[in-house]
Amino acid sequence: AQSVTQLDSQVPVFEEAPVELRCNYSSSVSVYLFWYVQYPNQGLQLLLKYLSGSTLVESINGFEAEFNKSQTSFHLRKPSVHISDTAEYFCAVTKAAGNKLTFGGGTRVLVKP
Amino acid sequence: GAGVSQSPRYKVTKRGQDVALRCDPISGHVSLYWYRQALGQGPEFLTYFNYEAQQDKSGLPNDRFSAERPEGSISTLTIQRTEQRDSAMYRCASSLAGQTEKLFFGSGTQLSVL
């Protein structure tokens, strides 16, 4: 079975500052890794994913995450946040080609002007 | 439809009542998933279907919970004899066959059991 730990439940950050959201996973098999975002009053949306290949993956809105197998981590970063990035972010894992996601507890990001 | 549709958006019920939550997946999506998200936690897997076949129900917490997808499209999650601990956001997601890496989630049904 897989498990995910998001070490920070809340991250306050000023606009245009960098942010890092930490995610560590546990699995005995190969995994796929994901970051989902939930904006206020909306459903979960896929932000980015790692399936295989390059360990650095990017989203269209400036986020990036790096798969680190030795540290079993998949931290999410953005060099300069906007007010619109205020949301809750969930890290998730599934075994490669598996059928159920295991989510972390989420990290709330509050971007302050 | 354009996205995964769930109804009702909010459901308030009294303890002991049965509730049925509906999910209408994206047209053409073979796989349908149910997740439950308690306040302050991440979503937890409940069950999933390919077409009308329930492939995995290992996440259903007890026998009060059941799900069906009789025609391989719309799905209903039923909770019998609701309890306060059932209060949560219930989320449905769909994908093309087995493509967990391309899940689309609905907005969820917020269930409150009084």
Side-chain angles (χ1 to χ4, degrees):
Chain A
Q2 292 73 45
S3 66
V4 177
T5 302
Q6 291 184 243
L7 297 169
D8 306 298
S9 60
Q10 293 189 58
V11 175
V13 57
F14 286 105
E15 193 174 15
E16 299 183 4
V19 70
E20 178 179 78
L21 308 183
R22 295 177 292 171
C23 172
N24 287 89
Y25 70 94
S26 173
S27 177
S28 58
V29 298
S30 296
V31 295
Y32 293 166
L33 292 155
F34 307 84
W35 277 98
Y36 279 84
V37 58
Q38 183 177 343
Y39 299 104
N41 299 316
Q42 295 186 30
L44 288 164
Q45 301 174 33
L46 181 64
L47 187 61
L48 49 74
K49 61 189 177 188
Y50 169 79
L51 305 182
S52 64
S54 173
T55 57
L56 184 66
V57 291
E58 299 177 348
S59 72
I60 59 173
N61 57 352
F63 283 93
E64 65 178 29
E66 186 162 18
F67 170 56
N68 188 318
K69 188 174 182 179
S70 63
Q71 297 187 8
T72 61
S73 67
F74 191 56
H75 302 331
L76 181 70
R77 302 182 183 91
K78 188 170 185 179
S80 176
V81 296
H82 303 292
I83 296 289
S84 60
D85 293 323
T86 293
E88 189 159 20
Y89 294 79
F90 293 93
C91 183
V93 64
T94 183
K95 64 179 183 181
N99 289 303
K100 49 187 175 182
L101 292 173
T102 299
F103 286 85
T107 299
R108 291 187 179 275
V109 173
L110 176 60
V111 181
K112 303 176 180 180
Chain B
V4 178
S5 177
Q6 291 187 247
S7 61
R9 183 70 179 90
Y10 301 93
K11 178 67 177 179
V12 180
T13 190
K14 292 183 178 179
R15 188 175 51 188
Q17 296 295 306
D18 298 350
V19 295
L21 312 181
R22 174 187 163 120
C23 173
D24 193 349
I26 293 173
S27 178
H29 277 193
V30 166
S31 299
L32 184 147
Y33 308 77
W34 284 99
Y35 285 79
R36 177 171 72 170
Q37 185 175 4
L39 191 63
Q41 298 181 23
E44 291 181 302
F45 171 83
L46 294 177
T47 185
Y48 103 94
F49 293 82
N50 276 341
Y51 297 101
E52 72 280 2
Q54 191 170 20
Q55 300 289 340
D56 185 341
K57 56 181 181 179
S58 62
L60 296 177
N62 52 59
D63 61 7
R64 295 187 297 106
F65 287 72
S66 63
E68 62 175 9
R69 194 186 184 199
E71 297 179 0
S73 180
I74 293 170
S75 176
T76 303
L77 177 69
T78 301
I79 309 172
Q80 295 179 312
R81 305 180 303 280
T82 52
E83 301 177 6
Q84 286 187 328
R85 60 177 172 159
D86 299 334
S87 296
M89 176 71 81
Y90 288 82
R91 298 192 182 277
C92 177
S94 70
S95 72
L96 297 171
Q99 292 189 333
T100 312
E101 64 270 25
K102 294 182 181 179
L103 279 186
F104 293 84
F105 281 86
S107 296
T109 293
Q110 181 66 54
L111 175 65
S112 297
V113 182
L114 305 179

